Structure formats: structure tokens, C-alpha cells
Amino acid sequence: MTDPAVDATRPPTGPAPRGLDLDRLAAHLATHRPELAGPLSARLIAGGKSNLTYLLRAGDREVVLRRPPLGHVLATAHDMAREHRVISALAPTGVPVPEALLLCADESVIGAPFYLMSHVDGEVYRRREQTDALTAGQRRDLAMAMMDTLATLHRVEPAEVGLADFGRPDGYLARQVRRWAGQLDRSRSRPLPGIDELRDALAGSVPEGANAGRIVHGDYRLDNLLAAVDPVTVRAVLDWEMATLGDPLADLGLLLTYWDVLGDSDLAEGNPVADGIGPRAGFPTGAELIDRYAGRSDVDVGPLHWHVALGCFKLAVICEGIHYRHTLGQTLGEGFDRIGEMVTPLVAHGLHAVREK
């Protein structure tokens, strides 16, 4: 649940932001990417709720650096090598991604693994004032381009892009439930009514997973895309930290959780992950998104209700983890004080969805 958006309207300025050691980074780049050597400046890109993303300036060139969050880091949830590998593999496909430039697993450089990717021009639509500036036609076209891009991703054959071993499709959905249950246990800091019931209901009703074996983004949503609106295009899909091979309906279910559960509720107003999306913001309904996707994909959307429930559980766990880091003072940026409010309604909607037939 990150947001590597780049606001390129102003350059990096001032001292190194928290989480970066520019001197060590410059020395590393002098050896491994000499074209980026020299004095560096950087700034934290606002909007990220998990992994940290920085706009890095080296001379007259700008690139983007991604690293895990500070402090309380859930195991496997912030894998830089995974992100770097998948965007490298997707570069020659029809899925728009930034160019992968460098991967560094040596934590001694900046204190954590990181990678560099190219800076892509475009806008991340995350705030209501941004989407309110769009015409009704632009909002509709943007939503449909989002769904077309997701269908394009799910049509990519993993073996053809070197990702045959990127995940274990068999048992993917059951492992997802177990994984997020484990993440929940590592993030508990307060009572969470109903969340254990939702976990058990998901575990007891896992679909057969007839769609398994596709590339799954893991957190596909509008504000993980860089877009342009004249004409409307998706310039890049961002935030691949949770990508794997699995059931593509997991992507669709989570997207609908953002879109219909959060984006069409009172939680949307002013919320850093729900404001500016969904029907309340003038976009098409979730049902229209499903129709668009189904018309451009061979994926069976029949068991989608279960995947929406999984999306609610997953997002509730993620929000609780961010809330926990916020209480420890380990988040950077604004908007984290409201993240914890989303957990209870997400659990309630998840319980409703998992009981649908």
C-alpha cells in the first residue's frame, strides 16, 4: 500500500530527507551508475503509506529511489528485489512500467535495500481536488484505462517474460489468507472486533482458483498509476512490492475494496487512501469496472465476492500495520492519523461479502 508518485513541479531541495544517506549513496552510484555520480539532492515524495519513495536529482537528471519503511517492517512485505525484478521483466510488454536502473541489496549504503527507477512524467490521482478538476468524460476514460491496463497485465504469460518461478500459483489463495493472518498477529496493538471471524470465514471458503498462474500486482488501484489526461493514458503502473503469480481476481477484489467499500463511503472524504476515487468522486461504479475488465480478459469473475472479502481483510491488516507504525512515530508524511479508522468498516464489509452466494 504504497504510493511512489512523483510531483515533478518542484526539484529536490534542502538537506537529505530521513531514510537517505546521500554521501554513501553518491559513493555507491559512482561505482555502479557513474552517470548519476556527483552531488545529489533528494526529497521524500508525499503520499507513500508504506515503502518510502524519493525523487533524487543527480546533476540535471532525476530518478526515483525506493526503500522499505522505517522501523516496524513486516516480513516479505517490502521486498525491493521483487519490485525491481518484475518491472524489469514487464518492460518489453504492453504493461507500462518505469525503467529499472539499479538494485542494491547492501544495507550499509543507506540503511536498507533500495532500487532506482526512471522518472516518468504523469500525475497520480489521489486527492479529491485533483479528480474534481477532470471532466466527467476524463474520469470515465481514466477508470476504463485503469481496467484495460489491469487486463493487459493479466494476459501476460509469466514464462515468456522470465517470471515462471516468480511465485507458487498452487494454493495461492489459501496462502494469502494465512499470510495476512500472520501479518495481523504482528501488527496487533488494540482490540479489533470481527477480524478473527473474517479470517476464519475466508480460510473456510477458499475458491478453487481456476484463474491461478497469472501475474498479480498485489495493490492495483488508481493512485498506484501515473496517468495523463490529454489524451487519457496510463503512463506507468507503480508499487510492485506485493507482486507474485496467483489468482488475478485478487487484484480485482482489492481494487473494488478501494473503489466501492472506501471510495463510496463517508470514510472517503479527506482520507489519504480513499479520497478522490469511486462513484462519490464522479467515477463509474464498481459494476462498470467489472464489465470493462471482463470484456477484455479471459478471467472468470464468478467468485469475485470472495476476493472482495479477501481485499477487505488484506487492506484492514495493512491499515492496522500503518496505524501501529504511526503510534510508534515511525511514519513519514501526513494523513496517517486517520488510517486506523478504516479497519472496522473494512472488517464489516468483508464479513458481508464472504457470506454472499
Side-chain angles (χ1 to χ4, degrees), residues 54 67 81 94 144 152 156 161-162 165 182 202 209 212 244 277 294 305 334:
Y54 305 83
R67 60 150 288 165
M144 296 309 160
T152 298
V156 174
V161 294
D165 61 344
L202 286 166
T244 189
I277 63 171
H305 67 280
E334 299 178 353

Side-chain angles (χ1 to χ4, degrees), residues 9-26:
T9 60
R10 57 189 177 89
T13 58
R18 190 178 174 198
L20 276 189
D21 185 323
L22 291 183
D23 291 337
R24 287 181 175 271
L25 178 58

Side-chain angles (χ1 to χ4, degrees), residues 129-143:
E129 58 264 30
Q130 291 175 289
T131 55
D132 279 350
L134 301 176
T135 67
Q138 287 172 329
R139 282 194 286 270
R140 181 171 187 81
D141 289 347
L142 183 57

Side-chain angles (χ1 to χ4, degrees), residues 4-6 53 63-64 66 83-92 95-102 115-121 217 224-226 234-240:
V6 175
T53 308
V63 296
V64 176
R66 292 265 283 165
E83 285 198 53
H84 183 270
R85 181 183 176 189
V86 72
I87 66 173
S88 299
L90 290 173
V95 181
V97 290
E99 179 187 1
L101 301 175
L102 174 72
Y115 76 94
L116 298 181
M117 60 183 173
S118 64
H119 166 234
V120 178
D121 289 328
H217 178 275
N224 275 332
L225 307 179
L226 276 167
V234 173
R235 305 294 301 276
V237 181
L238 308 168
D239 187 10
W240 293 90

Side-chain angles (χ1 to χ4, degrees), residues 68-335:
L70 307 177
H72 178 69
V73 178
L74 298 176
T76 75
H78 308 281
D79 190 339
M80 298 294 97
R82 196 166 194 82
E83 285 198 53
H84 183 270
R85 181 183 176 189
V86 72
I87 66 173
S88 299
L90 290 173
T93 73
V95 181
V97 290
E99 179 187 1
L101 301 175
L102 174 72
L103 173 66
C104 177
D106 184 355
E107 296 188 13
S108 70
V109 178
I110 65 167
F114 69 91
Y115 76 94
L116 298 181
M117 60 183 173
S118 64
H119 166 234
V120 178
D121 289 328
E123 185 162 2
V124 172
Y125 288 92
R126 79 167 66 86
R127 299 186 306 274
R128 185 61 181 263
E129 58 264 30
Q130 291 175 289
T131 55
D132 279 350
L134 301 176
T135 67
Q138 287 172 329
R139 282 194 286 270
R140 181 171 187 81
D141 289 347
L142 183 57
M144 296 309 160
M146 175 179 68
M147 302 316 296
D148 292 350
T149 301
L150 183 61
T152 298
L153 169 65
H154 292 161
R155 289 196 302 268
V156 174
E157 173 54 51
E160 293 180 0
V161 294
L163 294 178
D165 61 344
F166 192 58
R168 293 178 295 141
D170 293 341
Y172 165 76
L173 295 177
R175 286 198 309 276
Q176 281 286 294
V177 177
R178 292 195 299 270
R179 174 192 176 185
W180 290 104
Q183 305 286 43
L184 170 65
D185 290 339
R186 288 185 283 274
S187 297
R188 289 181 190 264
S189 62
R190 56 179 179 162
L192 299 170
I195 202 165
D196 293 324
E197 182 184 354
L198 176 56
R199 174 201 61 204
D200 294 343
L202 286 166
S205 59
V206 178
E208 294 183 4
N211 300 312
R214 316 289 181 98
I215 300 171
V216 175
H217 178 275
D219 194 18
Y220 192 85
R221 53 194 171 100
L222 183 62
D223 63 341
N224 275 332
L225 307 179
L226 276 167
V229 294
D230 189 20
V232 172
T233 56
V234 173
R235 305 294 301 276
V237 181
L238 308 168
D239 187 10
W240 293 90
E241 66 184 86
M242 296 178 183
T244 189
L245 300 187
D247 193 318
L249 286 187
D251 277 341
L252 192 56
L254 185 60
L255 173 60
L256 292 173
T257 301
Y258 284 113
W259 201 261
D260 282 344
V261 181
L262 296 181
D264 200 27
S265 74
D266 291 338
L267 285 171
E269 186 175 352
N271 196 290
V273 298
D275 196 15
I277 63 171
R280 280 173 61 122
F283 285 94
T285 65
E288 291 175 275
L289 301 190
I290 296 169
D291 287 344
R292 180 76 171 205
Y293 174 85
R296 285 157 174 76
S297 170
D298 61 350
V299 174
D300 176 13
V301 299
L304 185 55
H305 67 280
W306 187 93
H307 292 270
V308 170
L310 176 63
C312 289
F313 181 61
K314 174 180 173 179
L315 189 51
V317 172
I318 293 172
C319 289
E320 189 61 22
I322 295 171
H323 168 78
Y324 182 37
R325 289 201 301 276
H326 176 69
T327 64
L328 298 176
Q330 295 175 343
T331 52
L332 301 181
E334 299 178 353

